């Protein structure tokens, strides 16, 4: 599968879908409190996207049953919204995709539910910063693998691990496009392709307190840490330009 370079008109459409994802997170920020059910968050997102002329990217994607992913504590990714209510001290990673004008925007954030432990807060901070360490290398002429290596180095130097079984990806008219964007140096990919202006990448570190190993639960979607220690997720859709990268979902 070849990497799709977007033209100026396509990039404008991506900006619109990506900004809608950003606005959705702004809406949720004050709603993520102890006592709210994850299915309620899902319903709020569906209504907001519909109101703004978009639809959820994830609904029915490869059979996924809901519209967002709500991953609590040891859940790494793909947690399915349910009647489960958030509790004080939880952390929750929310992954949102919006499809509008023929293009997807994709991002994830990890939120504190009320007051969280110092360990949980540090994990969230390191995960977010690891994205920005990687995006320093999101420049024309750099190798894709330099983004991956920078994320891995930063995370491991902080004493945490990066998930290996799931990676970032290109994004555009399709939710998942080439190339894969690992958060670690992947010997199979080597340095990867050189980056070109017009590439749009979903860069998404998934960081664990303990082992990088994960387990998929019997629902076929929910991914948890093998040792059941905390995990956090931070993702943005990034545009490669002739200068500094443009983070479309901020």
């Amino acid at each position: 599968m070849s990497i799709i370079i977007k033209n100026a008109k396509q990039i404008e459409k991506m900006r619109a879908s990506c900004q809608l994802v950003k606005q959705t997170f702004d809406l949720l920020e004050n709603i993520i409190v102890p006592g709210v059910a994850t299915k309620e968050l899902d319903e709020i997102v569906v209504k907001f996207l519909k109101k703004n002329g978009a639809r959820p990217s994830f609904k029915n994607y490869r059979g996924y049953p809901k519209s967002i992913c709500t991953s609590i504590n040891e859940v790494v990714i793909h947690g399915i919204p349910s009647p489960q209510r958030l509790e004080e001290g939880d952390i929750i990673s929310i992954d949102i995709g919006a499809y509008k004008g023929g293009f997807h925007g994709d991002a994830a954030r990890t939120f504190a539910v009320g007051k969280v432990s110092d360990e949980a807060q540090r994990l969230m901070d390191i995960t977010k910063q690891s994205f920005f360490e990687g995006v320093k290398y999101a420049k024309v002429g750099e190798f894709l693998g330099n983004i991956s290596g920078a994320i891995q180095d930063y995370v491991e130097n902080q004493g945490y691990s990066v998930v290996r079984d799931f990676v970032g990806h290109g994004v555009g008219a399709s939710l998942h496009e080439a190339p894969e964007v690992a958060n670690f140096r992947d010997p199979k990919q080597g340095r990867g392709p050189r980056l070109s202006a017009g590439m749009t990448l979903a860069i998404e570190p998934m960081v664990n307190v303990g082992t990088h190993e994960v387990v998929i639960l019997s629902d076929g979607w929910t991914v948890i840490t093998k040792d059941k220690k905390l995990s956090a997720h931070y993702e943005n859709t990034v545009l490669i330009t002739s200068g500094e990268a443009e983070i479309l979902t901020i």
Side-chain angles (χ1 to χ4, degrees):
M1 189 186 302
S2 59
I3 298 171
I4 300 171
I5 303 297
K6 280 72 176 182
N7 61 35
K9 186 175 181 180
Q10 292 169 329
I11 289 167
E12 280 307 306
K13 290 183 177 180
M14 286 202 66
R15 283 197 181 100
S17 58
C18 287
Q19 278 301 297
L20 189 52
V21 172
K22 187 261 184 193
Q23 292 163 16
T24 307
F25 279 119
D26 290 344
L27 173 67
L28 290 181
E29 195 164 5
N30 294 322
I31 299 172
I32 297 170
V33 295
V36 69
T38 55
K39 72 170 186 176
E40 294 169 357
L41 301 177
D42 188 79
E43 291 163 359
I44 289 166
V45 171
V46 171
K47 289 178 183 176
F48 182 74
L49 292 181
K50 184 177 181 180
K51 178 183 175 183
N52 286 277
R55 66 170 174 81
S57 299
F58 303 161
K59 179 72 171 179
N60 297 322
Y61 181 76
R62 298 179 181 173
Y64 185 72
K66 294 292 184 178
S67 297
I68 63 174
C69 299
T70 51
S71 304
I72 302 170
N73 296 332
E74 75 274 12
V75 180
V76 180
I77 50 172
H78 302 162
I80 301 172
S82 73
Q84 181 179 358
R85 296 191 179 277
L86 300 180
E87 298 182 3
E88 181 85 19
D90 284 341
I91 62 172
I92 180 170
S93 298
I94 298 182
D95 198 347
I96 297 174
Y99 183 73
K100 183 177 183 178
F103 288 87
H104 297 272
D106 189 8
R109 303 282 185 268
T110 302
F111 296 91
V113 182
K115 182 173 176 55
V116 300
S117 67
D118 291 344
E119 177 186 58
Q121 186 62 56
R122 183 170 185 269
L123 172 66
M124 292 189 294
D125 293 343
I126 296 302
T127 303
K128 180 177 179 179
Q129 185 58 35
S130 73
F131 165 86
F132 289 99
E133 295 299 319
V135 88
K136 291 176 183 177
Y137 294 89
K139 297 179 179 180
V140 169
E142 287 279 4
F143 288 103
L144 180 65
N146 291 340
I147 296 175
S148 307
I151 292 171
Q152 179 181 14
D153 288 346
Y154 180 77
V155 168
E156 292 181 352
N157 285 339
Q158 300 297 322
Y160 297 133
S161 64
V162 290
V163 171
R164 308 297 179 91
D165 291 9
F166 297 89
V167 297
H169 51 92
V171 60
S174 297
L175 181 58
H176 288 90
E177 298 180 349
E180 290 190 346
V181 185
N183 299 306
F184 59 97
R185 292 181 182 84
D186 188 347
K188 294 181 293 182
Q189 293 187 349
R191 295 185 296 179
R194 284 191 183 273
L195 302 179
S196 300
M199 288 183 179
T200 45
L201 309 172
I203 302 172
E204 50 177 319
M206 292 154 264
V207 179
N208 298 345
V209 168
T211 179
H212 68 81
E213 294 180 286
V214 299
V215 175
I216 302 175
L217 298 186
S218 58
D219 61 22
W221 285 104
T222 307
V223 179
I224 68 169
T225 54
K226 188 173 182 179
D227 56 12
K228 297 188 177 180
K229 293 184 178 180
L230 293 177
S231 183
H233 186 196
Y234 187 85
E235 174 187 21
N236 284 300
T237 299
V238 175
L239 169 67
I240 307 300
T241 76
S242 57
E244 296 295 318
E246 181 179 349
I247 304 173
L248 299 177
T249 41
I250 288 183

